[in-house]
Amino acid sequence: AQLSTHLGMIIADAILGRPDRNPLKGFEWPAVPGHFGKPWFLPLVGMYYKMLDRVR
């Protein structure tokens, strides 16, 4: 919690195009396995939770 403001400022600098202070520079972020393109499954998840709300 103490570093959240400091790290927020560093990430904001990276977003604004000042990447020399970016602590995440050089890390590779792998894609989510099995997820390609538009999230087609979100309406199904929404219907599932809507059904749960009605049952409970």
Side-chain angles (χ1 to χ4, degrees):
Q2 295 175 349
L3 286 175
S4 63
T5 304
H6 175 67
L7 292 176
M9 293 293 289
I10 291 173
I11 296 298
D13 284 344
I15 290 171
L16 291 173
R18 295 176 253 173
D20 29 305
R21 293 184 57 202
N22 186 357
L24 303 175
K25 183 178 182 180
F27 284 113
E28 291 196 24
W29 299 96
V32 177
H35 176 52
F36 303 103
K38 191 174 177 180
W40 55 268
F41 52 87
L42 286 181
L44 299 174
V45 172
M47 287 190 311
Y48 171 74
Y49 282 107
K50 192 181 289 187
M51 181 195 67
L52 280 182
D53 287 339
R54 290 184 184 184
V55 170
R56 292 183 191 185

